[in-house]
Amino acid sequence: MRPKKVPMRKCVGCQEMFPKKTLIRVVRTPEGNVIVDPTGKANGRGAYLCGRSECFAQARKKKALERALSVAIPDEVYQELEEKWVGKTDA
């Protein structure tokens, strides 16, 4: 029996590949809203962050999330990411 394939995604901050389950997903919904998606199943265009604080700072400085989602990211989303998610994952 073959081992199950683990889906990999690239972090927009550091450009490294990680297993999808370990990353933080940020989604631009079909309505144009930007939300943090802890389930990884929300409809819309997604971009991933690995959760390291230096990677988050680099992604914010270079506007990597804005480029990946083709929309301006509100400050509330960055604050939510920083308070709840960044630095809390094992990536």
Side-chain angles (χ1 to χ4, degrees), residues 3-30:
K4 192 171 184 178
K5 183 180 173 192
V6 177
M8 302 290 281
R9 297 292 183 266
K10 186 183 279 192
C11 172
V12 296
C14 61
Q15 302 296 311
E16 291 181 36
M17 297 292 284
F18 294 97
K20 182 179 173 183
K21 294 253 184 219
T22 64
L23 297 173
I24 304 162
R25 184 172 187 239
V26 181
V27 179
R28 182 192 70 214
T29 63

Side-chain angles (χ1 to χ4, degrees), residues 21-71:
K21 294 253 184 219
T22 64
L23 297 173
I24 304 162
R25 184 172 187 239
V26 181
V27 179
R28 182 192 70 214
T29 63
E31 296 80 33
N33 300 327
V34 178
I35 58 170
V36 178
D37 178 23
T39 65
K41 297 182 181 189
N43 284 342
R45 173 81 175 160
Y48 296 87
L49 283 169
C50 66
R52 293 187 299 223
S53 56
E54 60 273 2
C55 181
F56 171 74
Q58 185 175 8
R60 188 171 187 175
K61 179 182 172 190
K62 292 184 176 184
K63 299 187 179 189
L65 279 174
E66 293 181 11
R67 268 197 319 274
L69 300 177
S70 302
V71 69

Side-chain angles (χ1 to χ4, degrees), residues 22 24 49-57 80-91:
T22 64
I24 304 162
L49 283 169
C50 66
R52 293 187 299 223
S53 56
E54 60 273 2
C55 181
F56 171 74
E80 180 184 354
L81 279 168
E82 197 163 19
E83 291 170 5
K84 293 183 182 178
W85 302 101
V86 172
K88 309 248 187 317
T89 61
D90 295 331

